[in-house]
Amino acid sequence: MTAISDRQKLAYVNAQAADGRVNLEFETEEGMTLNMGPQHPATHGTLRIVAKLDGEQVIHCEPVMGYMHRGYEKLLEVRTYPQVNTLVNRIDWLGSFTNEVPFILASEKLMGVEAPPRAQWIRTILFELGRIANISLFLGDTALHMGGMTAAFYAFRDREFVLNQIEAVTGGRFHPNFDRIGGLKDDFPKGWIADTKAVMARLRDFCDEIEDLVVGNEIFQARTRGIGIIPGDIAQSYGLSGANLRASGVDWDLRRDVPVGLAWDQCDWTVWTHPDGDSFSRYWVRLQEVREATKIVDQLCDGLPSGPIMAKVPRIIKVPEGEAWVATENPLGEMGYYVVSKGDLGPFRVKIRTASFNNISVIPWVTRGVYVPDVISILASLYFILGDIDR
Amino acid sequence: MGLVESGKMPKPLTNLLNISRRYSIWIFQWGLACCAIEMGAALGSPRYDVMRLGVIPLPASPRQADLVCISGTVTDKMVPAIRRLYDQMPDPKYVISMGSCANCGGPYWDSYSVTKGVDQIIPVDVYVPGCPPRPEALLEGIVLLQERIRHEDMAERWKGDPIVVT
């Protein structure tokens, strides 16, 4: 009864053939092959996990990527600099503003422009708000994967307040497109700072709530403690970054270690590490990261300098010839842009280093020999976003 | 459902059937990209709370779903999975295409790996534009779909034009 056009029929046949080819690659003779995804809640999008099982134990587990590959690096070659800004928002879609900042900083480095102090501080505030919006969802979502639905509702409830604050400044709930070469689009609206401090207090309450509800939960601890242990040297050799690395006991945070001109060095905050390296410690480190981020936002709101928010830049932006690399500490880990310019309106080539791509490369190592339910908790605690993996 | 499709069902019965179907939609969440987060906010968060509209967002499999919400960028590699899951859904089935990417390719209109519109693969009932659409926009799309189901003649089901939320 469904009317299907010839075009749809052709697409269907092609699709079936492509699907068959993919399945052939993973045919095995011994054991059982378990497919998770590409549409599976534990994969935060469209990651496909192919696990070879022996009974309930995983012999080998391989992530199959590319279901969300949108060809970013090629697209950026045909966009102008302001247009790039719009597009890179959508790489890590939970904390969008954090994707814009490294690219803008790299472009500013090439142009020799520096944003005024107020712009840098506002950038830092929005960056940390993006971090809170990103990780607070993780805190609820991970509990959801372990079977606790309540925490996800709490996370969605309190995340809305952060999104409201971002929307009040930028006009977008989570694709702000607010950063400009040489500064920012606008200043804060009236009364925003007081509202934000109230929201930050609320978020700290949310962290306490999560600590009671999830971290103290016996089932959650049984599912995560001692599961998926990644030692520090293995984590470093696989190129892990961000909270995944800090949870393995490596004290490394780009915000503190590699200053890029933003205002993190102006405030008092702690980089938390955990010696265990298991799923639980990854969750715990991220929980502390949200707390620290609320503190950073509070301190920056108190000491916000006055002045202009835009440096002098030409109306038509042409970036002189050269190459620049800027990396910042994203909610997911190290994110950097290597921008090559030939003096045109748009970049000649952009290499994007995203954190999730390296973070999931450890999956085959960390899941060998674990049980199938533990794969879920490991995947959830590694915390990747598919746009960030495939770009 | 043969009697229903042939259009020979008595009018009061059709009305009753449509009212029941309207308020018991099981929506399958096909979250692909950014829009999945807004869909999650619309369907799973206490602020927007889709269950008050008579929509249940938690079917365990597409075989139990009446409505699928394709939210996000559809890539060429993802197409087989989408088509297969759509085929597994029982009739009558409806599709919401959420966000610019699923509607027409959106910001990736010139990308080599993105399918420019999910309507090349499966028939779409409601297009919700935006990048990403607010949760309210998705709820509006669902309400419009419910209106359509209410006044639907099963025999004429696929002859109508798709709805665009403005």
Side-chain angles (χ1 to χ4, degrees), chain A residues 1 8 12 15 19 39 46 65 67-70 72 75 79 90 153 156 160 164 167 173-175, chain B residues 29 32 38 44 47-48 73 75 77 80 83-84 87 107-108 110-113 119-120 131-132 134:
Chain A
M1 64 182 278
Q8 284 169 349
Y12 182 43
D19 207 23
Q39 174 68 15
T46 53
M65 305 176 307
Y67 287 98
M68 199 28 66
H69 177 66
R70 294 163 289 182
Y72 261 96
L75 285 182
R79 300 283 200 269
R90 283 138 180 101
F153 290 132
F156 267 116
E160 284 291 325
N164 280 354
E167 191 183 4
R173 270 165 63 89
F174 54 83
H175 289 327
Chain B
Q29 307 182 32
L32 292 167
E38 289 294 59
R47 177 179 287 188
Y48 299 105
T73 318
T75 56
K77 193 171 179 180
R83 181 69 219 192
R84 180 182 286 181
D87 288 342
Y108 314 103
D110 52 351
S111 171
Y112 55 83
S113 58
D119 50 3
Q120 294 179 31
C131 189
R134 297 180 63 89

Side-chain angles (χ1 to χ4, degrees), chain A residues 82-366:
Chain A
Q83 287 174 339
V84 166
N85 206 4
T86 319
L87 211 54
V88 296
N89 263 315
R90 283 138 180 101
I91 291 178
D92 158 20
W93 46 68
L94 281 172
S96 290
F97 191 77
T98 58
N99 301 326
E100 301 173 22
V101 172
F103 180 79
I104 294 292
L105 288 174
S107 312
E108 283 178 355
K109 205 169 163 185
L110 281 173
M111 286 179 78
V113 179
E114 196 166 342
R118 188 178 172 86
Q120 299 282 30
W121 283 58
I122 294 177
R123 271 180 194 172
T124 319
I125 291 174
L126 288 173
F127 198 105
E128 291 304 315
L129 285 183
R131 182 186 308 279
I132 295 167
N134 189 330
I135 301 181
S136 60
L137 190 63
F138 161 82
L139 295 176
D141 208 34
T142 306
L144 182 65
H145 295 324
M146 314 288 166
M149 199 142 183
T150 323
F153 290 132
Y154 281 170
F156 267 116
R157 183 195 66 192
D158 285 342
R159 191 172 171 272
E160 284 291 325
F161 295 107
V162 183
L163 292 184
N164 280 354
Q165 292 311 105
I166 296 177
E167 191 183 4
V169 189
T170 64
R173 270 165 63 89
F174 54 83
H175 289 327
N177 189 19
F178 194 61
D179 219 353
R180 300 285 186 269
I181 291 176
L184 292 164
K185 182 172 166 287
D186 279 321
D187 210 329
F188 283 150
K190 213 173 164 186
W192 189 85
I193 287 175
D195 289 354
T196 307
K197 291 178 87 168
V199 169
M200 288 305 115
R202 216 192 153 102
L203 258 291
R204 276 191 288 274
D205 287 349
F206 163 72
C207 287
D208 295 342
E209 231 166 37
I210 285 283
E211 190 140 31
D212 287 346
L213 197 67
V214 183
V215 177
N217 187 314
E218 212 171 295
I219 301 170
F220 181 80
Q221 295 213 3
R223 291 287 303 273
T224 53
R225 275 222 193 254
I227 306 290
I229 296 174
I230 307 174
D233 53 333
I234 295 287
Q236 276 176 320
S237 71
Y238 273 97
L240 262 62
S241 52
N244 291 332
L245 186 59
R246 288 195 287 279
S248 301
V250 182
D251 191 10
W252 184 81
D253 193 319
L254 281 176
R255 288 177 286 173
R256 181 196 60 196
D257 300 339
V258 186
V260 286
L262 298 187
W264 286 303
D265 48 355
Q266 309 288 328
C267 36
D268 175 32
W269 56 284
T270 323
V271 177
W272 288 91
T273 59
H274 200 288
D276 287 359
D278 56 1
S279 297
F280 179 83
S281 61
R282 288 191 278 276
Y283 190 88
W284 185 86
V285 166
R286 286 206 176 84
L287 179 62
Q288 304 309 324
E289 214 173 302
V290 176
R291 284 200 172 123
E292 293 302 322
T294 58
K295 278 185 208 163
I296 294 174
V297 172
D298 266 357
Q299 290 173 36
L300 291 177
C301 282
D302 281 336
L304 193 64
S306 58
I309 52 158
M310 196 74 184
K312 265 195 156 355
V313 283
R315 190 160 285 268
I316 294 172
I317 289 167
K318 273 194 177 178
V319 175
E321 248 180 75
E323 300 172 5
W325 160 260
V326 172
T328 54
E329 181 79 17
N330 241 33
L332 300 159
E334 178 186 358
M335 178 177 200
Y337 291 85
Y338 188 74
V339 183
V340 181
S341 174
K342 295 265 179 186
D344 293 331
L345 290 172
F348 176 73
R349 171 88 170 87
V350 181
K351 159 84 180 96
I352 309 171
R353 194 267 190 213
T354 47
S356 296
F357 182 77
N358 292 58
N359 286 351
I360 66 153
S361 68
V362 80
I363 286 178
W365 188 88
V366 74

